[in-house]
Amino acid sequence: MKKRILALLMAGAMALGLAACSNGGDDKTGDDVTTYKVGVAIYEYNDNFMTLYRNEIDRYFKEKETDKVKYEVTFQDGKSDPATQTNQIDTFITQQMDVIICNLVQTSTAEAVIDKIVAANIPLVLINREPLGETDESYPGIVDNPKVCYVGADARQSGTYQGEIVAALDNKGDMNGDGVVKYVMVVGDPENPDAQYRTEYSIKALTDAGIKTECLVENIGNWQTDKGQEITNSALTQHGSEIDVVFCNNDGMALGAAAAIKANNRTVGQDILLLGVDALDDCVEMVKNGEMTGTVLNDHIGQSHKAVDVAIELLEGKDIQNYYWVDYVKVDANYVNK
Ligand code: BGC
């Protein structure tokens, strides 16, 4: 009896051994499932655009799963606080994430963040807030590291499109006919290149078109709707019908500006113009019905897919580029009524 049991055990052990051999380190043909751990650090959950972006990262990782490859994705909210984000990155490193996707709270922390992630030998995909180098595509921590890249959109393009939408109007943005386009600039976050470039290039597009401009108010709205409303409201109280255009660095703030414009009995398209960036669904609807002059599509689908695709390439040990760019699209009345 003992012998029979021993024989059975041996046969079992051999069968297992054979099975192990046939799997021999080849993931593709074996039954093994590879689970990659992905850490995603977002600068702030309370941001309309980054919420769309974050949800699409989550959805698209799920879409990319197969029977053999799974992604365990952990999201963290940096709450607009660099110290909170640094702690979250430290935790990702301790948890030995296989790849990190990071939307910096502050681009000035980029060097420290990149250094610690690179030292832990974890690949890194930076998104949405571009650390700027001396020239384009030259940030040292990015170009010096083959496993670090930035995925984003060139904010100069979005600013230029805002200005071009105004310059293309019959009155070239001079709503009250006083010969100068006087504007309010609602700025996102002065530390963020998207805000800096949109502020600069929207006006540059007007001056390049030979249009005289004057800034009446420039104020920081931190990308938030309530701030956009507050800034626009006090600008309208102070400057009234002098204001031709309200430029907002994003649609979140433009939604607030639209409410302030209505509350002050002004009418977009008739006596004032309103521009945003992102092409949030609500704002595209408003461009359609004339409540906004225009916005610019900030393609969160294209950007999130690119970020996930590159993260997967890094997990697979493939070579990547240091910079990836996704185009903006001009969204004005012509575009939405097409
Ligand atoms: C978007 C803003 C967003 C910001 C966050 C920008 O690209 O246009 O809506 O608040 O990114 O960094």
Side-chain angles (χ1 to χ4, degrees), residues 49-57 278-281 297-306 326:
F49 174 74
M50 285 316 301
T51 301
L52 296 172
Y53 199 135
R54 167 165 57 96
N55 291 340
E56 188 57 24
I57 290 180
D278 282 340
L280 299 179
D281 286 350
L297 171 70
N298 192 0
D299 181 4
H300 69 274
I301 305 272
Q303 292 175 68
S304 55
H305 289 197
K306 180 49 85 183
V326 174

mmCIF file with all atom_site columns, all heavy atoms in Angstrom, residues 49-57 278-281 297-306 326:
data_model
loop_
_atom_site.group_PDB
_atom_site.id
_atom_site.type_symbol
_atom_site.label_atom_id
_atom_site.label_alt_id
_atom_site.label_comp_id
_atom_site.label_asym_id
_atom_site.label_entity_id
_atom_site.label_seq_id
_atom_site.pdbx_PDB_ins_code
_atom_site.Cartn_x
_atom_site.Cartn_y
_atom_site.Cartn_z
_atom_site.occupancy
_atom_site.B_iso_or_equiv
_atom_site.pdbx_formal_charge
_atom_site.auth_seq_id
_atom_site.auth_comp_id
_atom_site.auth_asym_id
_atom_site.auth_atom_id
_atom_site.pdbx_PDB_model_num
ATOM 1   N N   . PHE A 1 49  ? -11.007 68.973 -16.101 1.00 0.00 ? 49  PHE A N   1
ATOM 2   C CA  . PHE A 1 49  ? -10.281 68.360 -17.209 1.00 0.00 ? 49  PHE A CA  1
ATOM 3   C C   . PHE A 1 49  ? -9.500  67.131 -16.746 1.00 0.00 ? 49  PHE A C   1
ATOM 4   O O   . PHE A 1 49  ? -9.553  66.066 -17.362 1.00 0.00 ? 49  PHE A O   1
ATOM 5   C CB  . PHE A 1 49  ? -9.334  69.390 -17.842 1.00 0.00 ? 49  PHE A CB  1
ATOM 6   C CG  . PHE A 1 49  ? -8.456  68.802 -18.903 1.00 0.00 ? 49  PHE A CG  1
ATOM 7   C CD1 . PHE A 1 49  ? -8.966  68.477 -20.147 1.00 0.00 ? 49  PHE A CD1 1
ATOM 8   C CD2 . PHE A 1 49  ? -7.115  68.543 -18.651 1.00 0.00 ? 49  PHE A CD2 1
ATOM 9   C CE1 . PHE A 1 49  ? -8.161  67.913 -21.129 1.00 0.00 ? 49  PHE A CE1 1
ATOM 10  C CE2 . PHE A 1 49  ? -6.304  67.982 -19.616 1.00 0.00 ? 49  PHE A CE2 1
ATOM 11  C CZ  . PHE A 1 49  ? -6.825  67.668 -20.861 1.00 0.00 ? 49  PHE A CZ  1
ATOM 12  N N   . MET A 1 50  ? -8.795  67.258 -15.610 1.00 0.00 ? 50  MET A N   1
ATOM 13  C CA  . MET A 1 50  ? -7.991  66.123 -15.139 1.00 0.00 ? 50  MET A CA  1
ATOM 14  C C   . MET A 1 50  ? -8.862  64.956 -14.674 1.00 0.00 ? 50  MET A C   1
ATOM 15  O O   . MET A 1 50  ? -8.408  63.814 -14.642 1.00 0.00 ? 50  MET A O   1
ATOM 16  C CB  . MET A 1 50  ? -7.018  66.550 -14.029 1.00 0.00 ? 50  MET A CB  1
ATOM 17  C CG  . MET A 1 50  ? -5.804  67.334 -14.504 1.00 0.00 ? 50  MET A CG  1
ATOM 18  S SD  . MET A 1 50  ? -4.958  66.721 -16.004 1.00 0.00 ? 50  MET A SD  1
ATOM 19  C CE  . MET A 1 50  ? -4.469  65.053 -15.557 1.00 0.00 ? 50  MET A CE  1
ATOM 20  N N   . THR A 1 51  ? -10.121 65.231 -14.346 1.00 0.00 ? 51  THR A N   1
ATOM 21  C CA  . THR A 1 51  ? -11.028 64.139 -13.979 1.00 0.00 ? 51  THR A CA  1
ATOM 22  C C   . THR A 1 51  ? -11.371 63.312 -15.222 1.00 0.00 ? 51  THR A C   1
ATOM 23  O O   . THR A 1 51  ? -11.364 62.075 -15.182 1.00 0.00 ? 51  THR A O   1
ATOM 24  C CB  . THR A 1 51  ? -12.299 64.709 -13.312 1.00 0.00 ? 51  THR A CB  1
ATOM 25  O OG1 . THR A 1 51  ? -11.875 65.443 -12.171 1.00 0.00 ? 51  THR A OG1 1
ATOM 26  C CG2 . THR A 1 51  ? -13.254 63.614 -12.889 1.00 0.00 ? 51  THR A CG2 1
ATOM 27  N N   . LEU A 1 52  ? -11.632 64.010 -16.338 1.00 0.00 ? 52  LEU A N   1
ATOM 28  C CA  . LEU A 1 52  ? -11.898 63.281 -17.584 1.00 0.00 ? 52  LEU A CA  1
ATOM 29  C C   . LEU A 1 52  ? -10.666 62.460 -17.975 1.00 0.00 ? 52  LEU A C   1
ATOM 30  O O   . LEU A 1 52  ? -10.756 61.291 -18.361 1.00 0.00 ? 52  LEU A O   1
ATOM 31  C CB  . LEU A 1 52  ? -12.202 64.267 -18.723 1.00 0.00 ? 52  LEU A CB  1
ATOM 32  C CG  . LEU A 1 52  ? -13.457 65.135 -18.574 1.00 0.00 ? 52  LEU A CG  1
ATOM 33  C CD1 . LEU A 1 52  ? -13.508 66.181 -19.688 1.00 0.00 ? 52  LEU A CD1 1
ATOM 34  C CD2 . LEU A 1 52  ? -14.706 64.260 -18.633 1.00 0.00 ? 52  LEU A CD2 1
ATOM 35  N N   . TYR A 1 53  ? -9.518  63.096 -17.858 1.00 0.00 ? 53  TYR A N   1
ATOM 36  C CA  . TYR A 1 53  ? -8.237  62.478 -18.224 1.00 0.00 ? 53  TYR A CA  1
ATOM 37  C C   . TYR A 1 53  ? -7.997  61.223 -17.357 1.00 0.00 ? 53  TYR A C   1
ATOM 38  O O   . TYR A 1 53  ? -7.680  60.135 -17.866 1.00 0.00 ? 53  TYR A O   1
ATOM 39  C CB  . TYR A 1 53  ? -7.137  63.527 -17.983 1.00 0.00 ? 53  TYR A CB  1
ATOM 40  C CG  . TYR A 1 53  ? -5.814  63.331 -18.661 1.00 0.00 ? 53  TYR A CG  1
ATOM 41  C CD1 . TYR A 1 53  ? -5.167  64.392 -19.291 1.00 0.00 ? 53  TYR A CD1 1
ATOM 42  C CD2 . TYR A 1 53  ? -5.159  62.105 -18.643 1.00 0.00 ? 53  TYR A CD2 1
ATOM 43  C CE1 . TYR A 1 53  ? -3.932  64.244 -19.893 1.00 0.00 ? 53  TYR A CE1 1
ATOM 44  C CE2 . TYR A 1 53  ? -3.922  61.943 -19.241 1.00 0.00 ? 53  TYR A CE2 1
ATOM 45  C CZ  . TYR A 1 53  ? -3.309  63.016 -19.857 1.00 0.00 ? 53  TYR A CZ  1
ATOM 46  O OH  . TYR A 1 53  ? -2.078  62.861 -20.444 1.00 0.00 ? 53  TYR A OH  1
ATOM 47  N N   . ARG A 1 54  ? -8.177  61.383 -16.043 1.00 0.00 ? 54  ARG A N   1
ATOM 48  C CA  . ARG A 1 54  ? -7.930  60.289 -15.084 1.00 0.00 ? 54  ARG A CA  1
ATOM 49  C C   . ARG A 1 54  ? -8.872  59.110 -15.344 1.00 0.00 ? 54  ARG A C   1
ATOM 50  O O   . ARG A 1 54  ? -8.455  57.960 -15.369 1.00 0.00 ? 54  ARG A O   1
ATOM 51  C CB  . ARG A 1 54  ? -8.157  60.855 -13.677 1.00 0.00 ? 54  ARG A CB  1
ATOM 52  C CG  . ARG A 1 54  ? -8.253  59.864 -12.554 1.00 0.00 ? 54  ARG A CG  1
ATOM 53  C CD  . ARG A 1 54  ? -8.107  60.577 -11.228 1.00 0.00 ? 54  ARG A CD  1
ATOM 54  N NE  . ARG A 1 54  ? -9.077  61.642 -11.023 1.00 0.00 ? 54  ARG A NE  1
ATOM 55  C CZ  . ARG A 1 54  ? -10.220 61.503 -10.350 1.00 0.00 ? 54  ARG A CZ  1
ATOM 56  N NH1 . ARG A 1 54  ? -10.541 60.336 -9.829  1.00 0.00 ? 54  ARG A NH1 1
ATOM 57  N NH2 . ARG A 1 54  ? -11.044 62.521 -10.189 1.00 0.00 ? 54  ARG A NH2 1
ATOM 58  N N   . ASN A 1 55  ? -10.156 59.415 -15.561 1.00 0.00 ? 55  ASN A N   1
ATOM 59  C CA  . ASN A 1 55  ? -11.110 58.327 -15.790 1.00 0.00 ? 55  ASN A CA  1
ATOM 60  C C   . ASN A 1 55  ? -10.778 57.565 -17.064 1.00 0.00 ? 55  ASN A C   1
ATOM 61  O O   . ASN A 1 55  ? -10.957 56.353 -17.145 1.00 0.00 ? 55  ASN A O   1
ATOM 62  C CB  . ASN A 1 55  ? -12.539 58.873 -15.875 1.00 0.00 ? 55  ASN A CB  1
ATOM 63  C CG  . ASN A 1 55  ? -13.006 59.378 -14.524 1.00 0.00 ? 55  ASN A CG  1
ATOM 64  O OD1 . ASN A 1 55  ? -12.443 59.003 -13.492 1.00 0.00 ? 55  ASN A OD1 1
ATOM 65  N ND2 . ASN A 1 55  ? -14.013 60.241 -14.512 1.00 0.00 ? 55  ASN A ND2 1
ATOM 66  N N   . GLU A 1 56  ? -10.276 58.290 -18.056 1.00 0.00 ? 56  GLU A N   1
ATOM 67  C CA  . GLU A 1 56  ? -9.945  57.626 -19.316 1.00 0.00 ? 56  GLU A CA  1
ATOM 68  C C   . GLU A 1 56  ? -8.674  56.770 -19.164 1.00 0.00 ? 56  GLU A C   1
ATOM 69  O O   . GLU A 1 56  ? -8.572  55.708 -19.781 1.00 0.00 ? 56  GLU A O   1
ATOM 70  C CB  . GLU A 1 56  ? -9.808  58.662 -20.444 1.00 0.00 ? 56  GLU A CB  1
ATOM 71  C CG  . GLU A 1 56  ? -9.660  58.080 -21.838 1.00 0.00 ? 56  GLU A CG  1
ATOM 72  C CD  . GLU A 1 56  ? -10.802 57.142 -22.286 1.00 0.00 ? 56  GLU A CD  1
ATOM 73  O OE1 . GLU A 1 56  ? -11.929 57.246 -21.775 1.00 0.00 ? 56  GLU A OE1 1
ATOM 74  O OE2 . GLU A 1 56  ? -10.517 56.275 -23.147 1.00 0.00 ? 56  GLU A OE2 1
ATOM 75  N N   . ILE A 1 57  ? -7.728  57.206 -18.338 1.00 0.00 ? 57  ILE A N   1
ATOM 76  C CA  . ILE A 1 57  ? -6.537  56.369 -18.065 1.00 0.00 ? 57  ILE A CA  1
ATOM 77  C C   . ILE A 1 57  ? -7.019  55.040 -17.469 1.00 0.00 ? 57  ILE A C   1
ATOM 78  O O   . ILE A 1 57  ? -6.611  53.955 -17.883 1.00 0.00 ? 57  ILE A O   1
ATOM 79  C CB  . ILE A 1 57  ? -5.564  57.061 -17.073 1.00 0.00 ? 57  ILE A CB  1
ATOM 80  C CG1 . ILE A 1 57  ? -4.876  58.259 -17.718 1.00 0.00 ? 57  ILE A CG1 1
ATOM 81  C CG2 . ILE A 1 57  ? -4.518  56.073 -16.543 1.00 0.00 ? 57  ILE A CG2 1
ATOM 82  C CD1 . ILE A 1 57  ? -3.890  58.988 -16.797 1.00 0.00 ? 57  ILE A CD1 1
ATOM 83  N N   . ASP A 1 278 ? -10.292 73.471 -23.642 1.00 0.00 ? 278 ASP A N   1
ATOM 84  C CA  . ASP A 1 278 ? -10.540 72.087 -23.197 1.00 0.00 ? 278 ASP A CA  1
ATOM 85  C C   . ASP A 1 278 ? -11.631 71.427 -24.024 1.00 0.00 ? 278 ASP A C   1
ATOM 86  O O   . ASP A 1 278 ? -11.572 70.235 -24.262 1.00 0.00 ? 278 ASP A O   1
ATOM 87  C CB  . ASP A 1 278 ? -10.953 71.958 -21.704 1.00 0.00 ? 278 ASP A CB  1
ATOM 88  C CG  . ASP A 1 278 ? -9.762  72.081 -20.751 1.00 0.00 ? 278 ASP A CG  1
ATOM 89  O OD1 . ASP A 1 278 ? -8.629  71.892 -21.205 1.00 0.00 ? 278 ASP A OD1 1
ATOM 90  O OD2 . ASP A 1 278 ? -9.979  72.394 -19.569 1.00 0.00 ? 278 ASP A OD2 1
ATOM 91  N N   . ALA A 1 279 ? -12.660 72.227 -24.425 1.00 0.00 ? 279 ALA A N   1
ATOM 92  C CA  . ALA A 1 279 ? -13.825 71.647 -25.097 1.00 0.00 ? 279 ALA A CA  1
ATOM 93  C C   . ALA A 1 279 ? -14.542 70.639 -24.196 1.00 0.00 ? 279 ALA A C   1
ATOM 94  O O   . ALA A 1 279 ? -14.825 69.510 -24.594 1.00 0.00 ? 279 ALA A O   1
ATOM 95  C CB  . ALA A 1 279 ? -13.465 71.031 -26.450 1.00 0.00 ? 279 ALA A CB  1
ATOM 96  N N   . LEU A 1 280 ? -14.822 71.060 -22.969 1.00 0.00 ? 280 LEU A N   1
ATOM 97  C CA  . LEU A 1 280 ? -15.708 70.252 -22.112 1.00 0.00 ? 280 LEU A CA  1
ATOM 98  C C   . LEU A 1 280 ? -17.053 70.159 -22.830 1.00 0.00 ? 280 LEU A C   1
ATOM 99  O O   . LEU A 1 280 ? -17.447 71.095 -23.523 1.00 0.00 ? 280 LEU A O   1
ATOM 100 C CB  . LEU A 1 280 ? -15.914 70.935 -20.752 1.00 0.00 ? 280 LEU A CB  1
ATOM 101 C CG  . LEU A 1 280 ? -14.691 71.184 -19.875 1.00 0.00 ? 280 LEU A CG  1
ATOM 102 C CD1 . LEU A 1 280 ? -15.104 71.879 -18.581 1.00 0.00 ? 280 LEU A CD1 1
ATOM 103 C CD2 . LEU A 1 280 ? -13.957 69.880 -19.560 1.00 0.00 ? 280 LEU A CD2 1
ATOM 104 N N   . ASP A 1 281 ? -17.787 69.079 -22.623 1.00 0.00 ? 281 ASP A N   1
ATOM 105 C CA  . ASP A 1 281 ? -19.076 68.893 -23.315 1.00 0.00 ? 281 ASP A CA  1
ATOM 106 C C   . ASP A 1 281 ? -19.997 70.112 -23.163 1.00 0.00 ? 281 ASP A C   1
ATOM 107 O O   . ASP A 1 281 ? -20.585 70.580 -24.140 1.00 0.00 ? 281 ASP A O   1
ATOM 108 C CB  . ASP A 1 281 ? -19.810 67.663 -22.758 1.00 0.00 ? 281 ASP A CB  1
ATOM 109 C CG  . ASP A 1 281 ? -19.174 66.377 -23.238 1.00 0.00 ? 281 ASP A CG  1
ATOM 110 O OD1 . ASP A 1 281 ? -18.300 66.450 -24.144 1.00 0.00 ? 281 ASP A OD1 1
ATOM 111 O OD2 . ASP A 1 281 ? -19.524 65.309 -22.710 1.00 0.00 ? 281 ASP A OD2 1
ATOM 112 N N   . LEU A 1 297 ? -10.202 72.209 -28.293 1.00 0.00 ? 297 LEU A N   1
ATOM 113 C CA  . LEU A 1 297 ? -10.219 70.835 -27.767 1.00 0.00 ? 297 LEU A CA  1
ATOM 114 C C   . LEU A 1 297 ? -8.847  70.456 -27.228 1.00 0.00 ? 297 LEU A C   1
ATOM 115 O O   . LEU A 1 297 ? -7.857  70.450 -27.959 1.00 0.00 ? 297 LEU A O   1
ATOM 116 C CB  . LEU A 1 297 ? -10.638 69.851 -28.869 1.00 0.00 ? 297 LEU A CB  1
ATOM 117 C CG  . LEU A 1 297 ? -10.474 68.369 -28.499 1.00 0.00 ? 297 LEU A CG  1
ATOM 118 C CD1 . LEU A 1 297 ? -11.488 67.940 -27.457 1.00 0.00 ? 297 LEU A CD1 1
ATOM 119 C CD2 . LEU A 1 297 ? -10.576 67.482 -29.721 1.00 0.00 ? 297 LEU A CD2 1
ATOM 120 N N   . ASN A 1 298 ? -8.814  70.182 -25.940 1.00 0.00 ? 298 ASN A N   1
ATOM 121 C CA  . ASN A 1 298 ? -7.632  69.642 -25.285 1.00 0.00 ? 298 ASN A CA  1
ATOM 122 C C   . ASN A 1 298 ? -7.918  68.143 -25.205 1.00 0.00 ? 298 ASN A C   1
ATOM 123 O O   . ASN A 1 298 ? -8.727  67.707 -24.395 1.00 0.00 ? 298 ASN A O   1
ATOM 124 C CB  . ASN A 1 298 ? -7.515  70.279 -23.886 1.00 0.00 ? 298 ASN A CB  1
ATOM 125 C CG  . ASN A 1 298 ? -6.189  70.036 -23.219 1.00 0.00 ? 298 ASN A CG  1
ATOM 126 O OD1 . ASN A 1 298 ? -5.305  69.392 -23.774 1.00 0.00 ? 298 ASN A OD1 1
ATOM 127 N ND2 . ASN A 1 298 ? -6.045  70.551 -22.009 1.00 0.00 ? 298 ASN A ND2 1
ATOM 128 N N   . ASP A 1 299 ? -7.283  67.388 -26.068 1.00 0.00 ? 299 ASP A N   1
ATOM 129 C CA  . ASP A 1 299 ? -7.700  66.019 -26.345 1.00 0.00 ? 299 ASP A CA  1
ATOM 130 C C   . ASP A 1 299 ? -7.290  65.057 -25.215 1.00 0.00 ? 299 ASP A C   1
ATOM 131 O O   . ASP A 1 299 ? -6.252  64.414 -25.282 1.00 0.00 ? 299 ASP A O   1
ATOM 132 C CB  . ASP A 1 299 ? -7.078  65.613 -27.688 1.00 0.00 ? 299 ASP A CB  1
ATOM 133 C CG  . ASP A 1 299 ? -7.454  64.222 -28.108 1.00 0.00 ? 299 ASP A CG  1
ATOM 134 O OD1 . ASP A 1 299 ? -8.267  63.583 -27.408 1.00 0.00 ? 299 ASP A OD1 1
ATOM 135 O OD2 . ASP A 1 299 ? -6.931  63.756 -29.145 1.00 0.00 ? 299 ASP A OD2 1
ATOM 136 N N   . HIS A 1 300 ? -8.147  64.952 -24.194 1.00 0.00 ? 300 HIS A N   1
ATOM 137 C CA  . HIS A 1 300 ? -7.786  64.086 -23.061 1.00 0.00 ? 300 HIS A CA  1
ATOM 138 C C   . HIS A 1 300 ? -7.806  62.612 -23.437 1.00 0.00 ? 300 HIS A C   1
ATOM 139 O O   . HIS A 1 300 ? -7.105  61.810 -22.840 1.00 0.00 ? 300 HIS A O   1
ATOM 140 C CB  . HIS A 1 300 ? -8.712  64.340 -21.853 1.00 0.00 ? 300 HIS A CB  1
ATOM 141 C CG  . HIS A 1 300 ? -10.115 63.885 -22.077 1.00 0.00 ? 300 HIS A CG  1
ATOM 142 N ND1 . HIS A 1 300 ? -11.056 64.685 -22.682 1.00 0.00 ? 300 HIS A ND1 1
ATOM 143 C CD2 . HIS A 1 300 ? -10.734 62.715 -21.795 1.00 0.00 ? 300 HIS A CD2 1
ATOM 144 C CE1 . HIS A 1 300 ? -12.197 64.012 -22.748 1.00 0.00 ? 300 HIS A CE1 1
ATOM 145 N NE2 . HIS A 1 300 ? -12.026 62.826 -22.222 1.00 0.00 ? 300 HIS A NE2 1
ATOM 146 N N   . ILE A 1 301 ? -8.591  62.300 -24.474 1.00 0.00 ? 301 ILE A N   1
ATOM 147 C CA  . ILE A 1 301 ? -8.626  60.896 -24.913 1.00 0.00 ? 301 ILE A CA  1
ATOM 148 C C   . ILE A 1 301 ? -7.277  60.560 -25.563 1.00 0.00 ? 301 ILE A C   1
ATOM 149 O O   . ILE A 1 301 ? -6.603  59.599 -25.190 1.00 0.00 ? 301 ILE A O   1
ATOM 150 C CB  . ILE A 1 301 ? -9.765  60.652 -25.942 1.00 0.00 ? 301 ILE A CB  1
ATOM 151 C CG1 . ILE A 1 301 ? -11.115 61.090 -25.369 1.00 0.00 ? 301 ILE A CG1 1
ATOM 152 C CG2 . ILE A 1 301 ? -9.773  59.210 -26.422 1.00 0.00 ? 301 ILE A CG2 1
ATOM 153 C CD1 . ILE A 1 301 ? -11.878 60.074 -24.581 1.00 0.00 ? 301 ILE A CD1 1
ATOM 154 N N   . GLY A 1 302 ? -6.873  61.395 -26.517 1.00 0.00 ? 302 GLY A N   1
ATOM 155 C CA  . GLY A 1 302 ? -5.594  61.159 -27.208 1.00 0.00 ? 302 GLY A CA  1
ATOM 156 C C   . GLY A 1 302 ? -4.427  61.145 -26.228 1.00 0.00 ? 302 GLY A C   1
ATOM 157 O O   . GLY A 1 302 ? -3.533  60.296 -26.313 1.00 0.00 ? 302 GLY A O   1
ATOM 158 N N   . GLN A 1 303 ? -4.442  62.097 -25.274 1.00 0.00 ? 303 GLN A N   1
ATOM 159 C CA  . GLN A 1 303 ? -3.320  62.182 -24.332 1.00 0.00 ? 303 GLN A CA  1
ATOM 160 C C   . GLN A 1 303 ? -3.303  61.002 -23.359 1.00 0.00 ? 303 GLN A C   1
ATOM 161 O O   . GLN A 1 303 ? -2.253  60.428 -23.091 1.00 0.00 ? 303 GLN A O   1
ATOM 162 C CB  . GLN A 1 303 ? -3.385  63.506 -23.557 1.00 0.00 ? 303 GLN A CB  1
ATOM 163 C CG  . GLN A 1 303 ? -3.114  64.712 -24.451 1.00 0.00 ? 303 GLN A CG  1
ATOM 164 C CD  . GLN A 1 303 ? -3.296  66.035 -23.716 1.00 0.00 ? 303 GLN A CD  1
ATOM 165 O OE1 . GLN A 1 303 ? -2.531  66.371 -22.827 1.00 0.00 ? 303 GLN A OE1 1
ATOM 166 N NE2 . GLN A 1 303 ? -4.315  66.782 -24.080 1.00 0.00 ? 303 GLN A NE2 1
ATOM 167 N N   . SER A 1 304 ? -4.467  60.633 -22.837 1.00 0.00 ? 304 SER A N   1
ATOM 168 C CA  . SER A 1 304 ? -4.477  59.518 -21.876 1.00 0.00 ? 304 SER A CA  1
ATOM 169 C C   . SER A 1 304 ? -4.112  58.211 -22.575 1.00 0.00 ? 304 SER A C   1
ATOM 170 O O   . SER A 1 304 ? -3.364  57.396 -22.023 1.00 0.00 ? 304 SER A O   1
ATOM 171 C CB  . SER A 1 304 ? -5.828  59.409 -21.172 1.00 0.00 ? 304 SER A CB  1
ATOM 172 O OG  . SER A 1 304 ? -6.857  59.307 -22.122 1.00 0.00 ? 304 SER A OG  1
ATOM 173 N N   . HIS A 1 305 ? -4.581  58.032 -23.808 1.00 0.00 ? 305 HIS A N   1
ATOM 174 C CA  . HIS A 1 305 ? -4.241  56.792 -24.516 1.00 0.00 ? 305 HIS A CA  1
ATOM 175 C C   . HIS A 1 305 ? -2.742  56.732 -24.808 1.00 0.00 ? 305 HIS A C   1
ATOM 176 O O   . HIS A 1 305 ? -2.120  55.692 -24.651 1.00 0.00 ? 305 HIS A O   1
ATOM 177 C CB  . HIS A 1 305 ? -5.029  56.694 -25.828 1.00 0.00 ? 305 HIS A CB  1
ATOM 178 C CG  . HIS A 1 305 ? -6.489  56.417 -25.603 1.00 0.00 ? 305 HIS A CG  1
ATOM 179 N ND1 . HIS A 1 305 ? -7.326  55.962 -26.577 1.00 0.00 ? 305 HIS A ND1 1
ATOM 180 C CD2 . HIS A 1 305 ? -7.259  56.546 -24.490 1.00 0.00 ? 305 HIS A CD2 1
ATOM 181 C CE1 . HIS A 1 305 ? -8.559  55.816 -26.081 1.00 0.00 ? 305 HIS A CE1 1
ATOM 182 N NE2 . HIS A 1 305 ? -8.532  56.167 -24.813 1.00 0.00 ? 305 HIS A NE2 1
ATOM 183 N N   . LYS A 1 306 ? -2.197  57.863 -25.211 1.00 0.00 ? 306 LYS A N   1
ATOM 184 C CA  . LYS A 1 306 ? -0.759  57.880 -25.494 1.00 0.00 ? 306 LYS A CA  1
ATOM 185 C C   . LYS A 1 306 ? 0.027   57.569 -24.227 1.00 0.00 ? 306 LYS A C   1
ATOM 186 O O   . LYS A 1 306 ? 0.971   56.770 -24.232 1.00 0.00 ? 306 LYS A O   1
ATOM 187 C CB  . LYS A 1 306 ? -0.373  59.245 -26.088 1.00 0.00 ? 306 LYS A CB  1
ATOM 188 C CG  . LYS A 1 306 ? 1.086   59.428 -26.441 1.00 0.00 ? 306 LYS A CG  1
ATOM 189 C CD  . LYS A 1 306 ? 1.656   58.285 -27.254 1.00 0.00 ? 306 LYS A CD  1
ATOM 190 C CE  . LYS A 1 306 ? 1.419   58.400 -28.736 1.00 0.00 ? 306 LYS A CE  1
ATOM 191 N NZ  . LYS A 1 306 ? 1.937   57.232 -29.486 1.00 0.00 ? 306 LYS A NZ  1
ATOM 192 N N   . VAL A 1 326 ? 0.200   65.701 -28.607 1.00 0.00 ? 326 VAL A N   1
ATOM 193 C CA  . VAL A 1 326 ? -1.146  65.471 -29.139 1.00 0.00 ? 326 VAL A CA  1
ATOM 194 C C   . VAL A 1 326 ? -1.697  66.844 -29.538 1.00 0.00 ? 326 VAL A C   1
ATOM 195 O O   . VAL A 1 326 ? -1.583  67.803 -28.770 1.00 0.00 ? 326 VAL A O   1
ATOM 196 C CB  . VAL A 1 326 ? -2.034  64.819 -28.045 1.00 0.00 ? 326 VAL A CB  1
ATOM 197 C CG1 . VAL A 1 326 ? -3.476  64.704 -28.494 1.00 0.00 ? 326 VAL A CG1 1
ATOM 198 C CG2 . VAL A 1 326 ? -1.467  63.451 -27.651 1.00 0.00 ? 326 VAL A CG2 1
#
